[in-house]
C-alpha cells in the first residue's frame, strides 16, 4: 500500500525553510570557503619559500598576515552563517565581526597595491600621493560605515548575516574599488610604456606584469558594486546586497598575495618593475663588443665602429695610429694599434721570425707595416625610465 506524503513548508524547521536569496547566499558562501581553502593549499610551497628568505620587508609581513587572517575570518563567519544553534540574540553581539575584519583585510590589500604601484613607477611621488590619498580615504570611509551595519533579521536557526542599514553604506566597498581601479589603470599604463623598450605580445605582457591579477581584483569589485547599488532587496530580511561581498574579499586577498609573489627581485621598497629587468639585461649584453683584426693590403690605420640600433649610424675615425697612447693592457709607451707584418705570401705572418706575440719588432727587412683595421659591432639599447 502506497500513498503520497505532502509536506507543508511551514512544518519545516527554519534552517531548512530558507528564502530563495538566502539559500543562494549560503551556496555562494560555500564557494567562497572552497576558494579560500584551495588558495591556502596551493600557495603553501611558495609561502614556505618566502618565509625562508632573510629579512621582513613590509610586503612580506603583509603577505603572511593576509595568508592567515583571511581564512581565519571566513571560517568564523561560516560557523555563524551555517550553525543553526545561533540565535538572534547571539547574532546581535557578533554581526559587526565581518565588516570590521573585512575592512582590515581590504586596508592591508590596498597597502600592497600602493607600495607595489609606487615601486613600478620608480618611487614617483605623484603616484604615491594619489594612491596614498585613496588609501587614507578608504580607511576612514570603511571605519565609519562599520557603524551603519545591522544584523539581518533572520529567523532563529537561519544563521547570522550582517547587512547595511542604508543603501549609501555601499561606499564602504566603493572606496576600495576606486583604489583598485586606479592601481589597475596605472599598472596597465606602465606596461604599455615598456613596449617602447621591448615589444611583447599582449598575452606575454599580461603575464610578465601580472595585469591579470590587477584585472581580476577590479572585475570582482565592480560586480560587487552592481549588487550594492543596482539590485533591490525584496524585504528587510533579504540579503541580496551582500551576497557577493565575501567572495569579493577572498578574491581580492588571493590575487593580492599573488601580486606579492610575482615581484621580481627583493621585496624591499616594493621590488622593481619587470620591464626594467628585461631592458637591463639587454643593456648588459649590448656592452660587449666583438672585435676582429686583419691586415688589408696598402690600407691606412682605421678604426671603424658599427653601432647597430634602430637605424644606427656608422662612425669612422681616421689616422688613429698617428698618436701613441697607453696600450690596451694599461702599459705605458705602447701604441693602441699593434702593427702586424704584411703577409709575405710564403707563410703566415704569425710565424714570421720578426713578429713577436706581444708587439711587432721594427725591422727594415719587414716592409708594409701599414697598420690594422678593427671593426667593433655593438648593439646599444637606451632606456630611461620616466620619473614623475
Amino acid at each position: 500500500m502506497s500513498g503520497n506524503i505532502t509536506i507543508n513548508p511551514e512544518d519545516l524547521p527554519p534552517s531548512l525553510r530558507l528564502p530563495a536569496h538566502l539559500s543562494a547566499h549560503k551556496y555562494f558562501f560555500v564557494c567562497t570557503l572552497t576558494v579560500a581553502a584551495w588558495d591556502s593549499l596551493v600557495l603553501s610551497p611558495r609561502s614556505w619559500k618566502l618565509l625562508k628568505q632573510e629579512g621582513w620587508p613590509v610586503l612580506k609581513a603583509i603577505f603572511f598576515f593576509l595568508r592567515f587572517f583571511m581564512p581565519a575570518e571566513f571560517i568564523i563567519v561560516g560557523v555563524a552563517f551555517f550553525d543553526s544553534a545561533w540565535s538572534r540574540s547571539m547574532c546581535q553581539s557578533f554581526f559587526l565581526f565581518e565588516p570590521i575584519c573585512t575592512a582590515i583585510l581590504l586596508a592591508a590589500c590596498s597597502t600592497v597595491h600602493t607600495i607595489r604601484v609606487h615601486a613600478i613607477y620608480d618611487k614617483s611621488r605623484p603616484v604615491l600621493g594619489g594612491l596614498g590619498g585613496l588609501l587614507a580615504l578608504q580607511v576612514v570611509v570603511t571605519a565609519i560605515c562599520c557603524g551603519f551595519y545591522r544584523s539581518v533579521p533572520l529567523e532563529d536557526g537561519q544563521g547570522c548575516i550582517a547587512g547595511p542599514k542604508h543603501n549609501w553604506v555601499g561606499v564602504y566597498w566603493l572606496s576600495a574599488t576606486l583604489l583598485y581601479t586606479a592601481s589597475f589603470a596605472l599598472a596597465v599604463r606602465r606596461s604599455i610604456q615598456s613596449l617602447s623598450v621591448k615589444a611583447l605580445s599582449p598575452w606575454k605582457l599580461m603575464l610578465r606584469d601580472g595585469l591579470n591579477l590587477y584585472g581580476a581584483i577590479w572585475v570582482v569589485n565592480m560586480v560587487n558594486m552592481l549588487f550594492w547599488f543596482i539590485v533591490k532587496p525584496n524585504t528587510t530580511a533579504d540579503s541580496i546586497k551582500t551576497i557577493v561581498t565575501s567572495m569579493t574579499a577572498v578574491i581580492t586577498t588571493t590575487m593580492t598575495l599573488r601580486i606579492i609573489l610575482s615581484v621580481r627581485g627583493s621585496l624591499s621598497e616594493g621590488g622593481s618593475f619587470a620591464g626594467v629587468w628585461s631592458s637591463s639585461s639587454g643593456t648588459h649584453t649590448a656592452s660587449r663588443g666583438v672585435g676582429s683584426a686583419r691586415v688589408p693590403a696598402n690600407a691606412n690605420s682605421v678604426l671603424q665602429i658599427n653601432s647597430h640600433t634602430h637605424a644606427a649610424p656608422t662612425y669612422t675615425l681616421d689616422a688613429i695610429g698617428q698618436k701613441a697612447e697607453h696600450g690596451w693592457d694599461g702599459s705605458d709607451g705602447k701604441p693602441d694599434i699593434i702593427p702586424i707584418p704584411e703577409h709575405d705570401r710564403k707563410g703566415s705572418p704569425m710565424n714570421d721570425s720578426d713578429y713577436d706575440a706581444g708587439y711587432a719588432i721594427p725591422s727594415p727587412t719587414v716592409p708594409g707595416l701599414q697598420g690594422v683595421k678593427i671593426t667593433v659591432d655593438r648593439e646599444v639599447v637606451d632606456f630611461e625610465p620616466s620619473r614623475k
Side-chain angles (χ1 to χ4, degrees), residues 213-234:
L213 306 177
Y214 294 94
I217 293 173
W218 180 78
V219 168
V220 73
N221 277 272
M222 289 302 297
V223 171
N224 190 31
M225 288 293 93
L226 298 178
F227 278 85
W228 269 93
F229 293 105
I230 296 179
V231 177
K232 301 295 183 181
N234 297 328

Side-chain angles (χ1 to χ4, degrees), residues 309-326:
T309 59
H310 302 289
T314 300
Y315 304 93
T316 302
L317 305 178
D318 296 327
I320 197 172
Q322 295 177 1
K323 182 179 179 180
E325 297 179 354
H326 297 292

Side-chain angles (χ1 to χ4, degrees), residues 325-348:
E325 297 179 354
H326 297 292
W328 288 346
D329 59 352
S331 58
D332 296 332
K334 297 181 180 180
D336 286 344
I337 304 301
I338 303 174
I340 302 177
E342 185 180 13
H343 199 300
D344 58 0
R345 307 186 185 278
K346 294 182 180 180
S348 171

Side-chain angles (χ1 to χ4, degrees), residues 160 181 361:
C160 180
T181 301
I361 302 174

Side-chain angles (χ1 to χ4, degrees), residues 38-343:
W38 170 82
D39 186 74
S40 299
L41 293 175
V42 168
L43 293 185
S44 295
R46 300 177 69 182
S47 300
W48 174 248
K49 183 178 179 180
L50 179 62
L51 181 63
K52 293 190 296 183
Q53 294 182 7
E54 296 182 358
W56 281 89
V58 176
L59 289 185
K60 181 178 179 180
I62 296 178
F63 177 89
F64 284 101
F65 170 76
L66 296 174
R67 186 81 169 80
F68 296 103
F69 186 80
M70 182 269 288
E73 174 191 348
F74 288 103
I75 288 174
I76 296 173
V77 172
V79 170
F81 196 11
F82 290 99
D83 190 356
S84 59
W86 277 68
S87 62
R88 292 198 61 185
S89 60
M90 295 173 62
C91 191
Q92 288 295 330
S93 304
F94 176 79
F95 71 92
L96 285 178
F97 176 83
E98 182 178 5
I100 292 175
C101 289
T102 302
I104 297 172
L105 205 64
L106 293 176
C109 292
S110 298
T111 302
V112 172
H113 284 247
T114 301
I115 295 174
R116 181 60 186 145
V117 175
H118 176 232
I120 67 176
Y121 273 86
D122 304 316
K123 311 300 185 297
S124 171
R125 289 187 176 181
V127 171
L128 178 61
L131 292 180
L134 290 175
L135 175 59
L137 177 66
Q138 174 190 324
V139 172
V140 173
V141 169
T142 52
I144 294 174
C145 289
C146 285
F148 294 90
Y149 272 81
R150 64 184 175 90
S151 173
V152 177
L154 304 177
E155 298 182 28
D156 288 342
Q158 290 184 342
C160 180
I161 307 175
K165 293 180 180 179
H166 310 284
N167 196 52
W168 62 264
V169 181
V171 298
Y172 175 104
W173 285 96
L174 178 62
S175 60
T177 304
L178 288 176
L179 189 144
Y180 300 138
T181 301
S183 66
F184 180 40
L186 289 171
V188 171
R189 179 174 177 267
R190 187 71 177 93
S191 297
I192 294 175
Q193 289 177 346
S194 70
L195 292 177
S196 60
V197 178
K198 182 178 181 181
L200 290 175
S201 65
W203 179 259
K204 291 183 178 180
L205 186 70
M206 178 189 70
L207 296 180
R208 187 197 69 181
D209 298 336
L211 300 182
N212 54 323
L213 306 177
Y214 294 94
I217 293 173
W218 180 78
V219 168
V220 73
N221 277 272
M222 289 302 297
V223 171
N224 190 31
M225 288 293 93
L226 298 178
F227 278 85
W228 269 93
F229 293 105
I230 296 179
V231 177
K232 301 295 183 181
N234 297 328
T235 62
T236 56
D238 194 347
S239 62
I240 187 65
K241 282 186 174 295
T242 59
I243 194 172
V244 190
T245 55
S246 298
M247 180 64 81
T248 301
V250 169
I251 294 297
T252 300
T253 303
T254 58
M255 296 299 106
T256 301
L257 293 175
R258 283 164 172 78
I259 288 175
I260 297 175
L261 293 174
S262 66
V263 173
R264 299 285 185 93
S266 173
L267 292 179
S268 178
E269 298 183 358
S272 59
F273 181 53
V276 175
W277 280 66
S278 60
S279 64
S280 299
S281 175
T283 304
H284 290 284
T285 303
S287 64
R288 299 170 184 165
V290 178
S292 59
R294 54 194 175 94
V295 182
N298 300 325
N300 295 326
S301 299
V302 176
L303 175 62
Q304 180 175 339
I305 302 176
N306 297 327
S307 178
H308 298 291
T309 59
H310 302 289
T314 300
Y315 304 93
T316 302
L317 305 178
D318 296 327
I320 197 172
Q322 295 177 1
K323 182 179 179 180
E325 297 179 354
H326 297 292
W328 288 346
D329 59 352
S331 58
D332 296 332
K334 297 181 180 180
D336 286 344
I337 304 301
I338 303 174
I340 302 177
E342 185 180 13
H343 199 300

